[in-house]
Amino acid sequence: MQVFVCDYTPDLNYTLIPHMVSEIHTATKERFPTAVLHRFRRDEKQDFQFFQHLYKLHKQQQPFLLIDINGVQSFIFKGEDFVPNRLSFFTDGPFTILKRLKGLQATTCMSYSDRTHDRVLDDFGIGNPKFFLPHFGASPTDNPLPMAERDIGLLFVGQVRAPRPTGSFSSIFGASTDEKWIKIFDQAGEQAQFENTAPYDAVMAACDDFDMEPFKTLGDDQFAELLSHFSSWVEFQNRNRLLKSMAGLGLHIVGPAFDEVKGITDADFTFHGLQKAAGVLDFLGRSRVLLNSISVFPEGSHERLWHGAAAGTVLATDRSRYLEEYFKDGQDIAYLDYRDNSQAERLDDLAQDIGRLQSMSDNSSRIYAAHHTPRHRMQTAFDFLEQQGRLDHQ
């Protein structure tokens, strides 16, 4: 069976998705040695030849599997009944890509990166075969740099901008909006920020409290758009609260930073801007503690964590019920608490405690190598595809 791993993400970003695709390819080759990695948006002629090759396999009834990220590419050929066997690894929440999800062909199996997304996909009527597959990182580093030799204490990787809207989320609504929606999102905003509740679950719980049926009142598309804005708003409320608390601690930031964020961009931070994946990995390998504010995955994980663990970096991140199954606070990981006013001082103290850092690094690297590598994730994926009868072993 021929397997094709497809990548569409330009490698000039602050994310590590392009590197994750390469790791998918490497892990896939252990099961299917002839697996091919095809990167889109590099060469139109090459892309055309790739599609022609798929079409030829289809016409010859040769079995093949496509593996891609976030269901970006359409593999539908005009005038032909072409329904390729496909696994799409979704790394994002479902709200911003609802139309893409609804357009998936029935032959596409899909994963979701947070356990709360299972309910979301069901509620929005996405009927494709699906399974939980958290993010992952690189293959573990053989000899990560010892903590005593790392020149960066605290590192943050990600986007820095103001929440939109900048005040209460309910300010997004107009004067004619039903007052229930104001109360729903004010309540959900508090719960999502401070009680480690998925934004979707917080909104749905508030809708129940105020006897509102969002799917009937708004419809799928409008409700999904509202949830997308809300999730982003929660994310940046938490992120900016964390970063502002770090002023004076010499934090390093990799990723885009916008001047609109007063009190952050004028702090004593060192900004390194956008980096290719190799650059981000280099920063991780030189840093003692990685701050990762990604609170929209309360029952999943994020790729930066796993790349950090693979590089021996100590992780400081939001609590996740999935992470808590593997990592103990203070022993293997440092969980963030946005209500704790002493958090920044404690993280700074941690970054200076070489002995404790080395112990936590050794622990988290060992846990990562035992449970969360690309090989583990792709084994989970292939087990699911096997159950669905999607793997042809010719």
Side-chain angles (χ1 to χ4, degrees), residues 144-153 285-288 312 314 350-359 361-362:
L145 198 65
M147 284 293 158
E149 298 179 24
R150 298 188 177 220
D151 62 323
I152 295 176
R286 294 166 48 199
S287 300
R288 297 175 185 174
V314 171
L350 174 62
Q352 311 310 319
D353 190 339
I354 300 300
R356 185 182 175 199
L357 285 171
Q358 193 63 61
S359 175
S361 169
D362 293 343

Side-chain angles (χ1 to χ4, degrees), residues 130-147:
K130 63 185 185 300
F131 65 106
F132 175 51
L133 190 68
H135 291 197
F136 52 89
S139 298
T141 303
D142 290 333
N143 297 295
L145 198 65
M147 284 293 158

Side-chain angles (χ1 to χ4, degrees), residues 170-178 182:
S170 61
S171 65
I172 199 172
F173 296 111
S176 61
T177 302
D178 187 327
I182 307 294

Side-chain angles (χ1 to χ4, degrees), residues 26 33 39 45 51 61 109 131 141 144 171 223 243 257 268 285 309 312:
T26 300
R39 297 190 184 277
K45 181 178 179 181
F51 274 104
Q61 297 184 330
C109 293
F131 65 106
T141 303
S171 65
F223 188 39
L243 294 179
D268 67 327

Side-chain angles (χ1 to χ4, degrees), residues 14 156-167 192-193 199 228-244 255-258 260-261 264 293-296 304 318 338:
Y14 55 95
F156 175 85
V157 180
Q159 186 180 145
V160 182
R161 66 166 174 80
R164 300 184 182 119
T166 54
Q193 287 182 79
S228 176
H229 289 310
F230 180 65
S231 296
S232 176
W233 179 83
V234 170
E235 184 70 39
F236 284 99
Q237 288 283 5
N238 285 343
R239 183 171 296 185
N240 289 350
R241 189 181 303 114
L242 171 68
L243 294 179
K244 286 180 179 179
F258 297 89
E260 65 194 44
V261 189
I264 294 180
S293 178
I294 195 74
S295 50
V296 294
R304 284 194 291 268
D318 308 80
Y338 297 100

Side-chain angles (χ1 to χ4, degrees), residues 320-379:
S320 157
R321 283 172 282 281
Y322 176 69
L323 293 178
E324 287 176 324
E325 294 172 12
Y326 297 93
F327 296 91
K328 293 182 179 179
D329 192 20
Q331 179 176 313
D332 315 313
I333 199 170
Y335 288 120
L336 300 177
D337 184 348
Y338 297 100
R339 297 166 293 186
D340 183 357
N341 294 328
S342 65
Q343 177 171 253
E345 183 179 347
R346 288 190 297 105
L347 289 172
D348 187 44
D349 289 345
L350 174 62
Q352 311 310 319
D353 190 339
I354 300 300
R356 185 182 175 199
L357 285 171
Q358 193 63 61
S359 175
M360 293 177 70
S361 169
D362 293 343
N363 290 344
S364 63
S365 295
R366 186 165 50 250
I367 292 168
Y368 176 68
H371 300 285
H372 304 286
T373 67
R375 178 183 296 173
H376 290 100
R377 297 293 193 255
M378 292 315 298
Q379 184 60 55

Side-chain angles (χ1 to χ4, degrees), residues 187-321:
Q187 176 177 309
E190 287 294 311
Q191 188 175 4
Q193 287 182 79
F194 300 114
E195 297 181 24
N196 196 36
T197 302
Y200 180 75
D201 288 345
V203 170
M204 294 303 288
C207 284
D208 287 343
D209 289 345
F210 290 95
D211 196 28
M212 183 69 80
E213 298 184 40
F215 291 98
K216 291 183 179 180
T217 306
L218 301 175
D220 286 8
D221 293 341
Q222 187 177 352
F223 188 39
E225 183 178 2
L226 191 59
L227 289 166
S228 176
H229 289 310
F230 180 65
S231 296
S232 176
W233 179 83
V234 170
E235 184 70 39
F236 284 99
Q237 288 283 5
N238 285 343
R239 183 171 296 185
N240 289 350
R241 189 181 303 114
L242 171 68
L243 294 179
K244 286 180 179 179
S245 74
M246 305 300 294
L249 301 183
L251 181 69
H252 289 251
I253 294 181
V254 171
F258 297 89
D259 292 336
E260 65 194 44
V261 189
K262 296 180 180 179
I264 294 180
T265 55
D266 58 355
D268 67 327
F269 299 158
T270 302
F271 292 91
H272 299 280
L274 293 174
Q275 298 282 331
K276 290 187 176 182
V280 179
L281 293 173
D282 178 67
F283 276 103
L284 290 173
R286 294 166 48 199
S287 300
R288 297 175 185 174
V289 178
L290 171 67
L291 301 181
N292 196 62
S293 178
I294 195 74
S295 50
V296 294
F297 290 134
E299 294 190 26
S301 61
H302 190 263
E303 86 270 0
R304 284 194 291 268
L305 293 175
W306 302 123
H307 280 90
T313 314
V314 171
L315 311 175
T317 190
D318 308 80
R319 284 189 179 274
S320 157
R321 283 172 282 281

